[in-house]
Amino acid sequence: MDFSFEQRYELNGRRVSRDEWLRSFRDQPDEVQAGAFEEIKTEVEALRCAIHDQSPKVTIKTADGETRMTIESCCEEMEERAEKMAAGE
Ligand SMILES: [Zn+2]
């Protein structure tokens, strides 16, 4: 089976990198930042490992105006897929 995912990040209709996209939230209130990350979390947690039948777990924490996302996966392969997904590659 071939899995293909694509996450697009856009600002004002222009395609941007995930970093650029996240940077645009930096001056926003914490809850707005967290909302942007929630979107990525939903996409990443929709992935499922074909070997272990598990989905990655995404944790989002906002502290001191910065939001960080942690991904826990069942194996290296899943981790790679999850990171690519989160990075919008
Ligand atoms: Zn796995």
Side-chain angles (χ1 to χ4, degrees):
M1 203 182 280
D2 182 29
F3 292 98
S4 161
F5 297 98
E6 195 178 10
Q7 171 87 31
R8 283 172 177 274
Y9 301 101
E10 287 184 6
L11 289 174
N12 304 318
R14 184 173 61 93
R15 189 155 184 209
V16 296
S17 71
R18 182 186 66 146
D19 282 348
E20 212 174 329
W21 184 75
L22 290 175
R23 230 177 286 134
S24 73
F25 290 95
R26 198 149 284 174
D27 298 330
Q28 302 286 325
D30 285 357
E31 58 268 27
V32 176
Q33 285 192 36
F37 277 83
E38 282 296 334
E39 211 173 294
I40 300 173
K41 176 185 159 93
T42 305
E43 301 273 351
V44 173
E45 288 189 338
L47 294 170
R48 196 157 194 94
C49 178
I51 301 157
H52 305 103
D53 195 31
Q54 285 186 45
S55 296
K57 281 195 174 51
V58 181
T59 314
I60 299 162
K61 276 183 190 158
T62 304
D64 304 322
E66 193 170 1
T67 306
R68 289 182 184 279
M69 184 169 64
T70 312
I71 303 172
E72 280 176 68
S73 307
C74 54
C75 59
E76 243 173 68
E77 199 184 309
M78 190 69 252
E79 193 171 297
E80 208 171 291
R81 279 174 62 196
E83 277 175 8
K84 275 188 180 174
M85 185 79 200
E89 281 173 21

Coordinates of all heavy atoms in Angstrom, one line a residue:
M1 N 0.8 -1.2 0.0 CA 0.0 0.0 0.0 C 0.9 1.3 0.0 O 1.9 1.3 0.6 CB -0.9 0.0 1.2 CG -2.1 0.8 1.1 SD -3.2 0.8 2.5 CE -4.0 -0.8 2.4
D2 N 0.4 2.2 -0.7 CA 1.2 3.4 -0.8 C 0.5 4.6 0.0 O -0.6 4.9 -0.3 CB 1.4 3.8 -2.3 CG 2.2 5.0 -2.5 OD1 3.1 5.3 -1.6 OD2 2.0 5.8 -3.5
F3 N 1.3 5.1 1.0 CA 0.7 6.2 1.7 C 1.3 7.5 1.2 O 2.5 7.6 1.0 CB 1.1 6.0 3.2 CG 0.4 4.8 3.9 CD1 1.1 3.7 4.0 CD2 -0.9 4.9 4.3 CE1 0.5 2.6 4.6 CE2 -1.5 3.9 4.9 CZ -0.8 2.7 5.1
S4 N 0.4 8.4 1.0 CA 0.9 9.7 0.6 C 0.1 10.8 1.3 O -1.1 10.8 1.3 CB 0.7 9.8 -1.0 OG 0.7 11.1 -1.4
F5 N 0.9 11.6 1.9 CA 0.2 12.7 2.7 C 0.9 14.0 2.3 O 2.0 14.1 2.0 CB 0.4 12.5 4.2 CG -0.2 11.3 4.7 CD1 0.5 10.2 4.9 CD2 -1.5 11.3 5.0 CE1 -0.1 9.0 5.4 CE2 -2.1 10.2 5.5 CZ -1.4 9.0 5.7
E6 N 0.1 15.0 2.3 CA 0.6 16.3 2.0 C 0.0 17.4 2.9 O -1.2 17.4 3.0 CB 0.5 16.7 0.6 CG 1.3 17.9 0.2 CD 1.2 18.3 -1.2 OE1 0.3 17.8 -1.9 OE2 2.0 19.1 -1.7
Q7 N 0.8 18.1 3.6 CA 0.3 19.2 4.4 C 0.7 20.5 3.8 O 1.9 20.7 3.6 CB 0.9 19.0 5.9 CG 0.6 20.2 6.8 CD -0.8 20.0 7.5 OE1 -1.2 19.0 7.8 NE2 -1.4 21.2 7.7
R8 N -0.2 21.3 3.5 CA 0.2 22.6 2.9 C 0.0 23.7 3.9 O -0.9 23.8 4.7 CB -0.8 22.9 1.8 CG -0.4 22.1 0.5 CD -1.5 22.3 -0.5 NE -1.1 21.6 -1.7 CZ -0.3 22.2 -2.7 NH1 0.1 23.4 -2.6 NH2 0.0 21.5 -3.7
Y9 N 0.9 24.7 3.9 CA 0.8 25.8 4.7 C 0.8 27.1 3.9 O 1.6 27.2 3.0 CB 2.0 25.9 5.7 CG 2.2 24.7 6.5 CD1 3.0 23.7 6.3 CD2 1.3 24.5 7.7 CE1 3.1 22.5 7.0 CE2 1.4 23.4 8.5 CZ 2.3 22.4 8.1 OH 2.4 21.3 8.9
E10 N -0.2 27.8 4.1 CA -0.4 29.0 3.3 C -0.6 30.3 4.1 O -1.3 30.2 5.1 CB -1.6 28.8 2.3 CG -1.3 27.9 1.2 CD -2.5 27.7 0.2 OE1 -3.5 28.5 0.4 OE2 -2.4 26.9 -0.7
L11 N 0.0 31.3 3.6 CA -0.3 32.7 4.2 C -0.8 33.6 3.1 O -0.1 33.8 2.1 CB 1.0 33.2 4.8 CG 1.6 32.6 6.0 CD1 3.0 33.2 6.4 CD2 0.7 32.8 7.2
N12 N -1.9 34.1 3.3 CA -2.5 35.0 2.3 C -2.5 34.4 0.9 O -2.2 35.0 -0.1 CB -1.8 36.3 2.3 CG -1.8 37.0 3.6 OD1 -2.8 37.0 4.3 ND2 -0.7 37.6 4.0
G13 N -2.8 33.1 0.8 CA -2.9 32.4 -0.4 C -1.5 32.0 -1.0 O -1.4 31.4 -2.1
R14 N -0.4 32.3 -0.3 CA 0.9 32.0 -0.8 C 1.4 30.8 -0.1 O 1.3 30.7 1.2 CB 1.9 33.2 -0.5 CG 3.3 33.0 -1.1 CD 4.0 34.4 -0.9 NE 4.1 34.8 0.5 CZ 5.1 34.5 1.3 NH1 6.1 33.8 0.8 NH2 5.1 34.8 2.6
R15 N 2.0 29.8 -0.8 CA 2.5 28.6 -0.1 C 3.8 28.9 0.6 O 4.7 29.5 0.0 CB 2.7 27.5 -1.1 CG 3.0 26.2 -0.5 CD 2.6 25.0 -1.3 NE 2.9 23.9 -0.4 CZ 3.2 22.7 -0.8 NH1 3.3 22.4 -2.1 NH2 3.4 21.7 0.0
V16 N 3.9 28.5 1.8 CA 5.1 28.8 2.6 C 5.5 27.5 3.4 O 4.8 26.5 3.4 CB 4.8 29.9 3.7 CG1 4.5 31.2 3.0 CG2 3.7 29.5 4.6
S17 N 6.7 27.6 3.9 CA 7.2 26.5 4.7 C 6.5 26.4 6.0 O 5.9 27.4 6.5 CB 8.7 26.6 4.9 OG 9.0 27.6 5.8
R18 N 6.6 25.3 6.7 CA 6.0 25.2 8.0 C 6.6 26.2 9.0 O 5.9 26.8 9.8 CB 6.2 23.8 8.6 CG 5.4 23.6 9.9 CD 5.7 22.3 10.6 NE 7.1 22.3 10.9 CZ 7.6 21.6 12.0 NH1 6.7 21.0 12.8 NH2 8.9 21.6 12.3
D19 N 7.9 26.4 9.0 CA 8.5 27.3 9.9 C 8.0 28.7 9.7 O 7.7 29.4 10.6 CB 10.1 27.3 9.7 CG 10.7 26.1 10.3 OD1 10.0 25.4 11.1 OD2 11.9 25.8 10.1
E20 N 7.9 29.1 8.4 CA 7.4 30.4 8.1 C 5.9 30.6 8.6 O 5.6 31.6 9.1 CB 7.4 30.6 6.6 CG 7.7 32.0 6.1 CD 7.9 32.1 4.6 OE1 8.4 31.1 4.0 OE2 7.5 33.1 4.0
W21 N 5.2 29.5 8.4 CA 3.8 29.5 8.8 C 3.7 29.7 10.3 O 2.9 30.5 10.8 CB 3.2 28.2 8.3 CG 1.7 28.0 8.5 CD1 0.7 28.7 7.9 CD2 1.1 27.2 9.5 NE1 -0.5 28.2 8.4 CE2 -0.3 27.4 9.4 CE3 1.6 26.3 10.5 CZ2 -1.2 26.7 10.2 CZ3 0.7 25.6 11.3 CH2 -0.7 25.8 11.1
L22 N 4.5 28.9 11.0 CA 4.5 28.9 12.5 C 4.9 30.3 13.0 O 4.5 30.8 14.0 CB 5.3 27.8 13.1 CG 4.7 26.4 12.9 CD1 5.6 25.4 13.4 CD2 3.3 26.3 13.6
R23 N 5.9 30.9 12.3 CA 6.5 32.1 12.7 C 5.4 33.2 12.6 O 5.4 34.2 13.4 CB 7.6 32.5 11.7 CG 8.9 33.0 12.5 CD 10.0 33.3 11.6 NE 10.6 32.1 11.0 CZ 10.9 31.9 9.7 NH1 10.7 32.9 8.8 NH2 11.4 30.8 9.2
S24 N 4.5 33.1 11.7 CA 3.4 34.0 11.6 C 2.5 34.0 12.8 O 1.7 35.0 13.0 CB 2.6 33.8 10.3 OG 1.8 32.7 10.4
F25 N 2.6 33.0 13.6 CA 1.7 32.9 14.8 C 2.4 33.4 16.1 O 1.9 33.5 17.1 CB 1.3 31.5 15.1 CG 0.3 31.0 14.0 CD1 0.7 30.3 12.9 CD2 -1.1 31.3 14.2 CE1 -0.2 29.8 12.0 CE2 -2.0 30.8 13.2 CZ -1.6 30.1 12.1
R26 N 3.7 33.7 15.9 CA 4.6 34.0 17.1 C 4.0 35.2 17.9 O 4.1 35.2 19.1 CB 6.0 34.3 16.6 CG 7.0 34.1 17.8 CD 8.3 33.6 17.3 NE 8.3 32.2 17.0 CZ 9.3 31.5 16.5 NH1 10.4 32.1 16.2 NH2 9.2 30.2 16.3
D27 N 3.5 36.2 17.2 CA 3.0 37.4 17.9 C 1.6 37.2 18.4 O 1.0 38.2 18.9 CB 3.2 38.6 17.1 CG 4.6 38.9 16.7 OD1 5.5 38.5 17.6 OD2 4.9 39.4 15.6
Q28 N 1.0 36.1 18.1 CA -0.4 35.9 18.4 C -0.5 35.4 19.9 O 0.5 34.9 20.4 CB -1.0 34.8 17.5 CG -0.9 35.2 16.0 CD -1.9 36.2 15.6 OE1 -3.0 36.3 16.2 NE2 -1.5 37.1 14.7
P29 N -1.7 35.5 20.5 CA -1.9 35.0 21.8 C -1.6 33.5 21.8 O -1.8 32.8 20.8 CB -3.3 35.3 22.1 CG -3.8 36.3 21.1 CD -2.9 36.2 19.9
D30 N -1.3 33.0 23.0 CA -1.0 31.5 23.2 C -2.0 30.6 22.6 O -1.7 29.6 22.0 CB -0.8 31.2 24.7 CG 0.5 31.7 25.2 OD1 1.3 32.3 24.4 OD2 0.8 31.5 26.4
E31 N -3.3 31.0 22.8 CA -4.4 30.1 22.4 C -4.5 30.0 20.8 O -4.8 29.0 20.3 CB -5.7 30.4 23.0 CG -6.2 31.8 22.7 CD -5.8 32.8 23.8 OE1 -4.7 32.6 24.4 OE2 -6.5 33.8 24.0
V32 N -4.1 31.1 20.2 CA -4.1 31.1 18.7 C -2.9 30.2 18.2 O -3.1 29.4 17.3 CB -3.9 32.5 18.1 CG1 -3.8 32.5 16.6 CG2 -5.1 33.4 18.6
Q33 N -1.8 30.3 18.9 CA -0.6 29.5 18.5 C -1.0 28.0 18.7 O -0.7 27.1 17.9 CB 0.6 29.8 19.4 CG 1.3 31.1 19.1 CD 2.6 31.2 19.8 OE1 3.3 30.2 20.0 NE2 3.0 32.4 20.2
A34 N -1.6 27.7 19.9 CA -2.0 26.3 20.2 C -2.9 25.8 19.2 O -2.9 24.6 18.8 CB -2.5 26.3 21.6
G35 N -3.8 26.7 18.7 CA -4.8 26.2 17.7 C -4.1 25.8 16.4 O -4.6 24.9 15.8
A36 N -3.1 26.5 16.0 CA -2.3 26.2 14.8 C -1.7 24.8 14.9 O -1.7 24.0 14.0 CB -1.3 27.3 14.5
F37 N -1.2 24.6 16.1 CA -0.5 23.3 16.4 C -1.5 22.2 16.4 O -1.2 21.0 16.0 CB 0.3 23.4 17.7 CG 1.7 24.0 17.5 CD1 1.8 25.3 17.5 CD2 2.8 23.2 17.3 CE1 3.1 25.9 17.3 CE2 4.0 23.7 17.1 CZ 4.2 25.1 17.1
E38 N -2.7 22.5 16.9 CA -3.8 21.5 17.0 C -4.1 20.9 15.6 O -4.3 19.7 15.5 CB -5.1 22.1 17.6 CG -5.1 22.2 19.1 CD -5.0 20.9 19.9 OE1 -5.4 19.9 19.3 OE2 -4.5 20.9 21.0
E39 N -4.0 21.8 14.6 CA -4.2 21.4 13.3 C -3.2 20.3 12.8 O -3.6 19.3 12.2 CB -4.1 22.6 12.4 CG -5.1 22.6 11.2 CD -5.1 23.9 10.4 OE1 -5.5 24.9 11.0 OE2 -4.6 23.9 9.3
I40 N -2.0 20.6 13.1 CA -0.9 19.6 12.8 C -1.1 18.3 13.6 O -0.9 17.3 13.0 CB 0.5 20.3 13.1 CG1 0.7 21.5 12.3 CG2 1.6 19.2 12.8 CD1 2.0 22.3 12.6
K41 N -1.4 18.5 14.8 CA -1.6 17.3 15.7 C -2.6 16.4 15.1 O -2.4 15.2 15.0 CB -2.0 17.8 17.1 CG -2.4 16.7 18.1 CD -2.9 17.4 19.4 CE -3.8 16.4 20.2 NZ -3.0 15.7 21.2
T42 N -3.8 16.9 14.6 CA -4.8 16.1 14.1 C -4.3 15.4 12.8 O -4.6 14.2 12.7 CB -6.0 17.1 13.6 OG1 -6.4 17.8 14.8 CG2 -7.2 16.2 13.1
E43 N -3.5 16.0 12.0 CA -3.0 15.4 10.8 C -2.0 14.3 11.2 O -2.1 13.2 10.6 CB -2.2 16.4 9.9 CG -3.1 17.6 9.5 CD -3.8 17.3 8.2 OE1 -3.5 16.2 7.6 OE2 -4.7 18.1 7.8
V44 N -1.1 14.5 12.1 CA -0.1 13.6 12.5 C -0.7 12.4 13.2 O -0.4 11.2 12.9 CB 1.0 14.2 13.4 CG1 1.9 13.2 13.9 CG2 1.7 15.3 12.6
E45 N -1.7 12.6 14.0 CA -2.3 11.5 14.8 C -3.2 10.7 13.9 O -3.7 9.6 14.3 CB -3.0 12.0 16.0 CG -2.1 12.5 17.1 CD -2.7 12.9 18.4 OE1 -3.9 13.2 18.4 OE2 -2.0 12.9 19.4
A46 N -3.5 11.1 12.7 CA -4.3 10.3 11.8 C -3.5 9.3 11.1 O -4.0 8.3 10.5 CB -5.0 11.2 10.7
L47 N -2.1 9.4 11.2 CA -1.2 8.4 10.6 C -1.4 7.1 11.5 O -1.7 7.1 12.6 CB 0.2 8.8 10.7 CG 0.6 10.0 9.8 CD1 2.0 10.5 10.2 CD2 0.6 9.7 8.4
R48 N -1.1 6.0 10.8 CA -1.1 4.7 11.6 C 0.0 3.8 11.1 O 0.1 3.6 9.9 CB -2.5 4.1 11.4 CG -2.8 3.0 12.4 CD -4.3 2.8 12.6 NE -4.5 2.0 13.8 CZ -4.8 2.5 15.0 NH1 -4.8 3.8 15.2 NH2 -5.0 1.7 16.1
C49 N 0.7 3.2 12.0 CA 1.8 2.3 11.6 C 1.2 1.0 11.2 O 0.4 0.3 11.9 CB 2.7 2.1 12.9 SG 4.0 0.9 12.5
A50 N 1.6 0.5 10.0 CA 1.1 -0.8 9.5 C 1.7 -2.0 10.2 O 1.1 -3.0 10.2 CB 1.5 -0.8 8.0
I51 N 2.8 -1.8 10.9 CA 3.4 -2.9 11.6 C 2.9 -3.0 13.0 O 2.6 -4.1 13.5 CB 5.0 -2.7 11.6 CG1 5.5 -2.6 10.2 CG2 5.6 -3.9 12.4 CD1 6.9 -1.9 10.1
H52 N 2.8 -1.9 13.7 CA 2.4 -2.0 15.1 C 1.0 -1.5 15.4 O 0.5 -1.5 16.5 CB 3.4 -1.1 15.9 CG 4.8 -1.4 15.8 ND1 5.7 -0.7 15.0 CD2 5.5 -2.5 16.3 CE1 6.8 -1.3 15.0 NE2 6.8 -2.3 15.8
D53 N 0.3 -1.2 14.3 CA -1.1 -0.7 14.4 C -1.3 0.4 15.5 O -2.2 0.3 16.3 CB -2.0 -1.9 14.7 CG -3.5 -1.6 14.5 OD1 -3.8 -0.8 13.6 OD2 -4.4 -2.1 15.2
Q54 N -0.4 1.3 15.5 CA -0.5 2.4 16.4 C -0.3 3.8 15.7 O 0.4 3.9 14.7 CB 0.6 2.3 17.5 CG 0.4 1.2 18.5 CD 1.4 1.2 19.6 OE1 1.7 2.3 20.1 NE2 1.9 0.0 19.9
S55 N -0.9 4.8 16.3 CA -0.8 6.1 15.8 C 0.2 6.9 16.7 O 0.3 6.6 17.9 CB -2.1 6.8 15.8 OG -3.0 6.1 15.0
P56 N 0.9 7.9 16.1 CA 1.8 8.7 16.9 C 1.0 9.5 17.9 O -0.2 9.9 17.6 CB 2.4 9.6 15.8 CG 2.0 9.1 14.5 CD 0.8 8.3 14.7
K57 N 1.6 9.9 19.0 CA 1.0 10.7 20.0 C 1.7 12.1 19.9 O 2.9 12.2 20.0 CB 1.1 10.1 21.4 CG 0.2 9.0 21.7 CD 0.1 8.7 23.2 CE -1.0 7.7 23.5 NZ -0.9 6.5 22.6
V58 N 0.9 13.1 19.8 CA 1.4 14.5 19.7 C 1.0 15.2 21.0 O -0.1 15.3 21.4 CB 0.9 15.2 18.5 CG1 1.4 16.6 18.4 CG2 1.2 14.4 17.2
T59 N 2.0 15.8 21.6 CA 1.8 16.7 22.8 C 2.2 18.1 22.4 O 3.2 18.4 21.9 CB 2.7 16.2 23.9 OG1 2.6 14.8 24.0 CG2 2.2 16.8 25.2
I60 N 1.3 19.0 22.8 CA 1.5 20.4 22.5 C 1.6 21.2 23.8 O 0.7 21.0 24.7 CB 0.4 21.0 21.6 CG1 0.3 20.3 20.3 CG2 0.6 22.5 21.4 CD1 -1.0 20.5 19.6
K61 N 2.7 21.9 24.0 CA 2.8 22.7 25.2 C 3.2 24.2 24.9 O 4.1 24.4 24.0 CB 3.9 22.1 26.1 CG 3.5 21.0 26.9 CD 4.6 20.5 27.8 CE 4.1 19.2 28.5 NZ 5.2 18.4 29.0
T62 N 2.5 25.1 25.5 CA 2.8 26.5 25.3 C 3.3 27.1 26.6 O 2.7 26.9 27.6 CB 1.5 27.2 24.8 OG1 1.0 26.6 23.6 CG2 1.8 28.7 24.5
A63 N 4.5 27.7 26.5 CA 5.1 28.3 27.7 C 5.8 29.5 27.3 O 6.6 29.5 26.2 CB 6.0 27.3 28.4
D64 N 5.7 30.6 28.0 CA 6.5 31.8 27.7 C 6.3 32.3 26.3 O 7.2 32.7 25.6 CB 8.0 31.7 28.0 CG 8.2 31.2 29.5 OD1 7.4 31.7 30.3 OD2 9.1 30.4 29.7
G65 N 5.1 32.2 25.8 CA 4.8 32.7 24.4 C 5.3 31.8 23.3 O 5.3 32.2 22.1
E66 N 5.8 30.6 23.6 CA 6.3 29.7 22.6 C 5.6 28.4 22.7 O 5.5 27.8 23.8 CB 7.8 29.6 22.7 CG 8.4 28.9 21.4 CD 9.9 29.0 21.3 OE1 10.5 29.5 22.3 OE2 10.4 28.4 20.3
T67 N 5.2 27.9 21.5 CA 4.5 26.6 21.5 C 5.4 25.5 21.0 O 6.1 25.7 20.0 CB 3.2 26.7 20.7 OG1 2.4 27.8 21.1 CG2 2.4 25.4 20.8
R68 N 5.5 24.4 21.7 CA 6.4 23.3 21.2 C 5.5 22.1 21.0 O 4.6 21.8 21.8 CB 7.5 23.0 22.2 CG 8.5 24.1 22.3 CD 9.6 23.8 23.3 NE 10.5 24.9 23.3 CZ 11.5 25.1 22.4 NH1 11.7 24.3 21.4 NH2 12.3 26.1 22.5
M69 N 5.9 21.3 20.1 CA 5.2 20.1 19.8 C 6.1 18.9 19.9 O 7.2 18.9 19.4 CB 4.7 20.2 18.3 CG 3.8 19.0 17.9 SD 2.9 19.3 16.4 CE 4.3 19.4 15.3
T70 N 5.7 17.9 20.6 CA 6.5 16.6 20.8 C 5.7 15.5 20.1 O 4.5 15.3 20.4 CB 6.7 16.4 22.3 OG1 7.1 17.5 22.9 CG2 7.7 15.3 22.5
I71 N 6.4 14.7 19.4 CA 5.8 13.5 18.7 C 6.4 12.2 19.3 O 7.6 12.1 19.3 CB 6.0 13.6 17.2 CG1 5.4 14.9 16.6 CG2 5.3 12.3 16.5 CD1 5.8 15.1 15.1
E72 N 5.5 11.3 19.8 CA 6.0 10.0 20.2 C 5.5 9.0 19.3 O 4.3 8.9 19.0 CB 5.4 9.7 21.6 CG 6.1 10.4 22.8 CD 5.4 10.1 24.0 OE1 5.3 8.9 24.5 OE2 4.8 11.1 24.6
S73 N 6.4 8.1 18.8 CA 6.0 7.1 17.8 C 6.4 5.7 18.3 O 7.3 5.6 19.1 CB 6.6 7.4 16.5 OG 6.4 8.7 16.1
C74 N 5.8 4.7 17.7 CA 6.0 3.3 18.1 C 7.3 2.8 17.5 O 7.9 1.9 18.1 CB 4.9 2.4 17.7 SG 4.5 2.6 15.9
C75 N 7.8 3.4 16.4 CA 9.1 2.9 15.8 C 9.7 4.0 15.0 O 9.1 5.0 14.8 CB 8.8 1.7 15.0 SG 7.7 1.9 13.6
E76 N 10.9 3.8 14.5 CA 11.6 4.8 13.8 C 10.9 5.2 12.5 O 10.9 6.3 12.1 CB 13.0 4.2 13.4 CG 14.2 5.0 14.1 CD 15.5 4.4 13.9 OE1 15.9 4.4 12.7 OE2 16.1 3.9 14.8
E77 N 10.4 4.2 11.8 CA 9.7 4.4 10.6 C 8.5 5.3 10.7 O 8.3 6.3 10.0 CB 9.3 3.1 10.0 CG 9.0 3.2 8.5 CD 8.5 1.9 7.9 OE1 9.1 0.8 8.2 OE2 7.4 1.9 7.3
M78 N 7.8 5.1 11.8 CA 6.6 5.9 12.1 C 7.0 7.3 12.5 O 6.4 8.3 12.1 CB 5.8 5.2 13.3 CG 4.5 5.9 13.5 SD 3.3 5.5 12.2 CE 3.2 7.1 11.4
E79 N 8.1 7.4 13.2 CA 8.6 8.7 13.7 C 9.0 9.5 12.4 O 8.7 10.7 12.4 CB 9.9 8.5 14.5 CG 10.3 9.7 15.3 CD 11.4 9.4 16.3 OE1 11.1 8.6 17.2 OE2 12.5 9.9 16.1
E80 N 9.6 8.9 11.5 CA 10.0 9.6 10.3 C 8.8 10.1 9.5 O 8.8 11.2 9.1 CB 10.8 8.6 9.4 CG 11.8 9.3 8.5 CD 12.7 8.3 7.8 OE1 13.6 7.6 8.5 OE2 12.6 8.1 6.6
R81 N 7.8 9.2 9.4 CA 6.6 9.6 8.7 C 5.9 10.8 9.4 O 5.4 11.7 8.8 CB 5.6 8.4 8.6 CG 6.0 7.5 7.5 CD 5.1 6.2 7.5 NE 3.7 6.6 7.3 CZ 2.6 5.8 7.6 NH1 2.9 4.6 8.1 NH2 1.4 6.1 7.4
A82 N 5.8 10.6 10.7 CA 5.2 11.7 11.5 C 5.9 13.0 11.4 O 5.2 14.0 11.3 CB 5.1 11.2 13.0
E83 N 7.2 13.0 11.5 CA 8.0 14.2 11.4 C 7.8 14.9 10.0 O 7.7 16.1 9.9 CB 9.4 14.0 11.7 CG 9.7 14.0 13.2 CD 11.1 13.6 13.6 OE1 11.9 13.5 12.7 OE2 11.3 13.4 14.8
K84 N 7.8 14.0 9.0 CA 7.6 14.6 7.6 C 6.2 15.2 7.5 O 6.1 16.3 6.9 CB 7.8 13.5 6.6 CG 9.2 13.2 6.2 CD 9.3 12.3 5.0 CE 10.7 12.1 4.7 NZ 10.9 11.0 3.6
M85 N 5.3 14.5 8.1 CA 3.9 15.0 8.1 C 3.9 16.4 8.8 O 3.3 17.3 8.3 CB 3.0 14.0 8.9 CG 1.6 14.4 8.8 SD 0.9 13.9 7.2 CE -0.5 14.9 7.3
A86 N 4.5 16.4 10.0 CA 4.4 17.7 10.8 C 5.2 18.8 10.1 O 4.8 20.0 10.2 CB 5.0 17.4 12.2
A87 N 6.2 18.4 9.3 CA 7.0 19.4 8.6 C 6.4 19.9 7.3 O 6.8 20.8 6.7 CB 8.4 18.9 8.4
G88 N 5.3 19.2 6.9 CA 4.6 19.5 5.7 C 5.4 19.1 4.5 O 5.3 19.7 3.4
E89 N 6.2 18.1 4.6 CA 7.0 17.6 3.4 C 6.3 16.7 2.6 O 5.4 15.9 3.1 CB 8.3 16.9 3.9 CG 9.4 17.9 4.3 CD 10.6 17.2 5.0 OE1 10.8 16.0 4.8 OE2 11.3 17.9 5.7
Ligands
ZN1 ZN 5.5 1.2 14.4

